[in-house]
Amino acid sequence: MPKADLANAETIDFIFGWSPGGDAPTPGICGTLGYTFWSINRVTGQSDIPGHGEPLAVLKQGKSYVLRPRNETPNDHPIHLHGMTFRLLRSDKRKVAPLPTDTALLLSKETMEVALVADNLGDWAFHCHVIKHQKTGLSGYLRVEA
C-alpha cells in the first residue's frame, strides 16, 4: 500500500447526513427501497452504480489525499471505499490505530481523517455498508483520473 504524503495531501470533506429533498431513488445493483433520506455532502446517492450522477470527488492518480468524513446523524455508519485502501489517521471522539483498511466505522457525530494515495484509475463506490442506509441515499462514488 503506498504511503500518503501528508505534508502535500489535499483534504476533502464529506458530510454524512440527511437528504435535504428526499429525492426519488434510482435502481442499482442491490435494488431500491423506494425512498431516500440520507445524503453525502447534501446530495442523495443516485445509485450504487458508479457513473450515475456526478462523483463526490475527482482525485488525481498518484496524488495523496486526506478524506475527512463527518457524521451528522445519530447513527453509526461503516463507511466503505471500493478500489483503494486508506490508513486511519485520527478521530475527534476516540483513538484509532493507523491501520490500512477499506472500511471505517464512523460513529454518530464523529469526524474522522483517513489518508490514501489515489493509485487506482476508475470510478469507485463510496458508501455506508449498512445496506438499508446505502439504498436510501448514503452512497456515491469517487473518480480517479490520470
Side-chain angles (χ1 to χ4, degrees):
M1 178 180 145
K3 186 169 179 160
D5 176 5
L6 296 178
N8 295 301
E10 178 183 339
T11 300
I12 304 173
D13 290 299
F14 296 97
I15 300 168
F16 289 82
W18 303 107
S19 169
D23 302 327
T26 56
I29 293 169
C30 299
T32 183
L33 295 179
Y35 53 91
T36 61
F37 50 83
W38 299 106
S39 67
I40 302 175
N41 292 344
R42 312 283 187 243
V43 175
T44 298
Q46 298 298 305
S47 172
D48 53 1
I49 302 172
H52 291 260
E54 295 297 317
L56 295 167
V58 178
L59 314 179
K60 293 296 178 192
Q61 184 182 29
K63 187 173 175 180
S64 294
Y65 293 89
V66 172
L67 307 183
R68 187 184 299 138
R70 184 176 83 221
N71 183 357
E72 293 183 337
T73 78
N75 300 79
D76 296 345
H77 299 290
I79 304 301
H80 178 65
L81 175 62
H82 291 235
M84 290 178 282
T85 303
F86 53 82
R87 188 170 305 278
L88 303 175
L89 295 178
R90 64 189 61 86
S91 161
D92 67 348
K93 291 190 85 161
R94 60 193 162 122
K95 285 189 176 261
V96 292
L99 302 172
T101 186
D102 62 3
T103 306
L105 181 61
L106 188 61
L107 301 176
S108 173
K109 309 300 183 191
E110 179 179 34
T111 299
M112 183 178 268
E113 289 186 349
V114 302
L116 63 80
V117 175
D119 62 347
N120 200 359
L121 291 172
D123 290 342
W124 300 107
F126 187 51
H127 60 88
C128 179
H129 234 240
V130 175
I131 194 68
K132 67 182 177 181
H133 297 175
Q134 176 188 349
K135 296 313 303 173
T136 54
L138 205 54
S139 63
Y141 69 99
L142 306 181
R143 175 169 289 155
V144 178
E145 297 180 338

